[in-house]
Amino acid sequence: MKILLLDKNHPLITEQLLAKNFILEEDFTSPYDEVCNKIENYDGIIIRSRIPLDQNFLEKAKNLKFIARVGAGMENIDIPVAEKLGIQLINSPEGNRDSVAEHVLGMLLLIMNRLFIASQEVKNGIWKREENRGDELLGKTVGLIGYGNMGKATARRLSGFGCKVIFYDILPGLSDEFATQVTFEELKKSSEVISLHIPLTSETHDLIDEVFIGEMKNDFYFVNTARGKNVETKSLVNALKSGKVKGACLDVLEYEKSSFEHLETENEDLKYLLDSENVIVTPHIAGWTHQSKEKLAQFIVDKIVASYC
């Protein structure tokens, strides 16, 4: 089988697939149109996020048997068209679930205990104790939206901090020893922390908006390591200003380019997030550890080999 690699990933992908007699070609720079013009020559494609695989692309991929996404999110693929054409879709959410879960905990500990603020103050000769009194995770009810690989890994860690973890998911019967499944209404009624672990779909676009925030019974901390467009930023900013959202931990932003490589928009809402003491912002790196890079690649290789060797 002939496979096209469109993004740089861990070298084990190339090493192990070559050892299994796959033919590999790399193209990390050609734009969309050039890749479209040659995609019919390949049986498989391995991607991250550089190029969208839309209907036009997929219809030109006349011999494509699989698309392998090194990561979890599949929103840059026209999934209904791929399924109609019989193209197998492969991803590897197992590979970065642990790094995402650790990132969630790290950001929450930073914001709730004012660690970044206090550290910067001391480095600038400012010594404040009462102003930097923290808020404990112990005893908090944490509501997870989505209970797949990322949600489960996060719940496992939160349970070790003495939190009560509840979650909402569209699939039934997912409760386990770390978290209890509840209705969406119960989640909004009980949660003191909300953390997103969902894909970006038409149903989850702007899921966190003015209505959702208004229906939250408690003032709450908010964490997003999923997709920036799951959140209506203006509503989040207004809730931060009012105090309804006590602090926000954002690894993803509504204004990211689709490739996740940089921000493509600047406005007053973004400026507020970047300037606020009550917001932690990181550059889409929750799943981005040295260990996850290798694990993401290994899961992809194992799934390709299991299907085509």
Side-chain angles (χ1 to χ4, degrees):
M1 295 182 71
K2 193 173 182 181
I3 302 174
L4 177 63
L5 286 73
L6 278 180
D7 299 272
K8 292 182 180 179
N9 287 294
H10 196 284
L12 73 80
I13 292 179
T14 300
E15 295 164 4
Q16 294 185 22
L17 290 180
L18 285 174
K20 292 290 185 179
N21 297 317
F22 289 91
I23 299 169
L24 305 183
E25 292 186 9
E26 298 176 346
D27 187 345
F28 303 149
T29 58
S30 292
Y32 171 88
D33 289 340
E34 290 183 20
V35 178
C36 277
N37 290 336
K38 65 179 181 180
I39 191 58
E40 66 179 350
N41 299 319
Y42 300 93
D43 302 291
I45 186 170
I46 300 176
I47 64 168
R48 282 211 317 263
S49 304
R50 187 171 71 85
I51 287 180
L53 276 56
D54 57 14
Q55 180 173 351
N56 174 64
F57 184 100
L58 295 173
E59 288 178 346
K60 291 185 175 182
K62 300 184 184 303
N63 296 301
L64 204 61
K65 297 176 178 63
F66 74 83
I67 299 165
R69 161 76 160 94
V70 183
M74 307 284 274
E75 69 270 11
N76 62 327
I77 303 168
D78 191 327
I79 293 175
V81 171
E83 291 175 342
K84 181 180 178 181
L85 294 172
I87 300 170
Q88 182 184 6
L89 299 177
I90 301 169
N91 65 344
S92 54
E94 309 92 340
N96 60 355
R97 59 191 172 194
D98 296 312
S99 60
V100 169
E102 291 189 12
H103 200 88
V104 170
L105 263 294
M107 290 198 296
L108 275 173
L109 292 171
L110 274 175
I111 200 79
M112 294 175 68
N113 292 282
R114 297 178 60 85
L115 298 179
F116 181 76
I117 298 166
S119 176
Q120 291 299 110
E121 287 177 351
V122 173
K123 288 180 179 182
N124 287 304
I126 301 167
W127 189 271
K128 294 181 179 179
R129 298 186 66 223
E130 184 58 37
E131 294 87 344
N132 286 310
R133 193 179 287 274
D135 191 8
E136 295 181 6
L137 265 172
L138 178 67
K140 293 280 192 301
T141 297
V142 180
L144 308 179
I145 301 179
Y147 205 61
N149 281 281
M150 314 302 175
K152 291 175 182 177
T154 302
R156 187 176 297 115
R157 285 156 178 81
L158 286 167
S159 66
F161 279 78
C163 298
K164 177 183 179 182
V165 186
I166 59 177
F167 69 90
Y168 171 77
D169 195 283
I170 58 173
L171 298 177
L174 299 179
S175 293
D176 58 23
E177 61 186 301
F178 303 112
T180 302
Q181 190 162 9
V182 298
T183 65
F184 207 37
E185 290 69 29
E186 178 62 30
L187 182 123
K188 288 182 281 189
K189 177 182 176 182
S190 301
S191 299
E192 299 163 278
V193 179
I194 291 287
S195 184
L196 297 189
H197 302 279
I198 50 178
L200 180 62
T201 66
S202 57
E203 288 77 23
T204 65
H205 189 279
D206 284 348
L207 178 68
I208 307 303
D209 58 8
E210 183 179 1
V211 173
F212 176 94
I213 294 168
E215 291 175 348
M216 285 289 295
K217 179 180 178 181
N218 302 308
D219 295 346
F220 65 101
Y221 295 95
F222 177 70
V223 186
N224 189 10
T225 54
R227 288 293 183 262
K229 288 182 171 60
N230 293 138
V231 180
E232 188 178 74
T233 305
K234 184 172 291 295
S235 296
L236 176 62
V237 167
N238 289 337
L240 283 161
K241 289 177 178 178
S242 72
K244 182 68 177 181
V245 172
K246 299 162 74 173
C249 306
L250 307 174
D251 182 55
V252 290
L253 293 165
E254 180 182 356
Y255 312 116
E256 286 179 76
K257 192 175 180 182
S258 59
S259 64
F260 310 135
E261 293 302 320
H262 56 76
L263 297 175
E264 60 180 358
T265 302
E266 293 185 15
N267 56 37
E268 288 302 310
D269 291 327
L270 176 60
K271 185 177 186 303
Y272 179 86
L273 294 177
L274 299 180
D275 291 344
S276 174
E277 282 192 346
N278 295 324
V279 181
I280 298 289
V281 184
T282 52
H284 205 131
I285 57 169
W288 211 248
T289 61
H290 297 291
Q291 292 81 6
S292 70
K293 182 177 182 180
E294 181 173 351
K295 288 187 284 186
L296 285 166
Q298 190 63 64
F299 276 107
I300 285 294
V301 169
D302 291 345
K303 290 177 182 181
I304 292 172
V305 169
S307 294
Y308 297 101
C309 286

